[in-house]
Amino acid sequence: MFSAEDFAKALEQQDYQFSRGSVVTGKVETHESDGAYVDIGGKSAAFLPMKEASLDSDILLEEILPLGTERKFLIIRDQDANGQMVISIRAMEIKELWERLRDRQENGDVIEVTISGSNKGGVTADVSGLRAFIPRSHLARRVEDLDTLMGETINVAFLEVDEENNKLLLSERIAARATAMSSLTKGELIEGTIASLKPFGAFVDFGGASGLLHIKQISKSYVSALGDVFKVGDPIKAIVLNIDDQRGRIALSTQVLEKYPGEILKDLPTMMAEAEERAKNVAKLIAEGDN
């Protein structure tokens, strides 16, 4: 026999099913100018505001949700005094989107985005309706005026996907490095720019990636100070000596292009002018060394 206690439990279960954050199935009953009313089996029809109908703001409610449509919705506001709740499709799509983005981050995927805004720290872009941020330090190029990047489409990798704090950070630099490393081969000649000088060597930017030209790989002769050979911004051609996929590092060399020890210190312009021709022989030697 169905007791009063059983009835109370049934009511509790019903209330739980209709609490904020619950997913319910409903049928679209009517369309209004600001949304739609949906029968979800509650005391009264739930309301779906227009802005909660889709991640895409440029839609017609009648087209995506014809009368009689039955589907799942997420409750985003508990019932009021009249028993009416507010439901959303957009919130469900956002939750599913975060899950897909986390999967893509784990897979190391690279996606294409269009830059839509900027501030002192970097630029912003839209990812399927979510606002993403690309820090200035994670842009592949050094740009003084970030506003010049507005409307530009770039490839990015995922830096941080944090649904709880609504934080989506992307990196053009990581994407460029991944792309460059996947296509690079040992013995290949790269052409880039001296990005920075350190006591142990020079970092070279090329094709959106960065490689280290160690001080011991600059010349067959001893180099006492990098400033004697390069300055930041100098164009440079170098050979890819090693690729460390796991650590994301690229080792470069110019000493293998020298015809005699110390040539880069005495006649850098000639070395660079003949780099392509010299690289052909170097590539063969490196390939033979790997066999």
Side-chain angles (χ1 to χ4, degrees), residues 83-101:
Q84 187 178 88
M85 288 159 279
V86 178
I87 56 177
S88 174
I89 297 173
R90 179 177 179 273
M92 286 184 66
E93 291 177 338
I94 289 176
K95 194 169 187 64
E96 291 166 359
L97 177 58
W98 279 109
E99 291 174 3
R100 290 199 302 273
L101 295 182

Side-chain angles (χ1 to χ4, degrees), residues 14-81:
Q14 182 79 352
D15 288 342
Y16 174 74
Q17 290 173 349
F18 287 144
S19 61
R20 182 180 178 187
S22 298
V23 175
V24 294
T25 299
K27 182 183 289 186
V28 181
E29 288 189 328
T30 61
H31 291 141
E32 304 294 336
S33 60
D34 56 349
Y37 285 97
V38 180
D39 178 12
I40 61 172
K43 296 176 184 176
S44 61
F47 183 60
L48 174 74
M50 180 72 75
K51 66 178 182 179
E52 295 296 336
S54 174
L55 268 172
D56 184 1
S57 58
D58 188 24
I59 54 96
L60 288 175
L61 197 60
E62 294 81 358
E63 289 185 3
I64 65 165
L65 285 175
L67 294 180
T69 298
E70 190 170 320
R71 57 155 296 151
K72 293 186 181 300
F73 300 87
L74 181 72
I75 297 175
I76 59 173
R77 189 183 303 164
D78 290 327
Q79 55 188 321
D80 58 18

Side-chain angles (χ1 to χ4, degrees), residues 266-277:
K266 297 174 183 177
D267 195 2
L268 176 60
T270 297
M271 259 188 71
M272 294 298 101
E274 297 178 359
E276 283 82 1
E277 194 59 37

Side-chain angles (χ1 to χ4, degrees), residues 81-144:
N82 298 318
Q84 187 178 88
M85 288 159 279
V86 178
I87 56 177
S88 174
I89 297 173
R90 179 177 179 273
M92 286 184 66
E93 291 177 338
I94 289 176
K95 194 169 187 64
E96 291 166 359
L97 177 58
W98 279 109
E99 291 174 3
R100 290 199 302 273
L101 295 182
R102 278 195 297 272
D103 289 341
R104 300 198 73 172
Q105 180 186 31
E106 290 175 6
N107 293 335
D109 290 350
V110 171
I111 64 171
E112 192 176 83
V113 298
T114 300
I115 296 172
S116 56
S118 71
N119 56 41
K120 286 196 298 185
V123 296
T124 57
D126 178 89
V127 179
S128 301
L130 291 179
R131 182 179 180 273
F133 184 67
I134 306 155
R136 183 187 284 268
S137 60
H138 279 271
L139 291 170
R141 295 153 293 164
R142 287 169 172 76
V143 180
E144 291 300 321

Side-chain angles (χ1 to χ4, degrees), residues 28-29 60 131 138 145 150 161 172 183 241-242 248 270 283 289:
V28 181
E29 288 189 328
L60 288 175
R131 182 179 180 273
H138 279 271
D145 184 3
M150 292 306 100
V161 179
E172 184 187 19
S183 60
L241 197 63
N242 191 45
T270 297

Side-chain angles (χ1 to χ4, degrees), residues 23 45 56 85 133 157 184 189 203 209 220 230 240 245 252 274:
V23 175
D56 184 1
M85 288 159 279
F133 184 67
L184 276 180
L189 181 74
F203 282 99
K220 293 170 185 172
F230 307 119
V240 175
D245 291 313
L252 304 173
E274 297 178 359

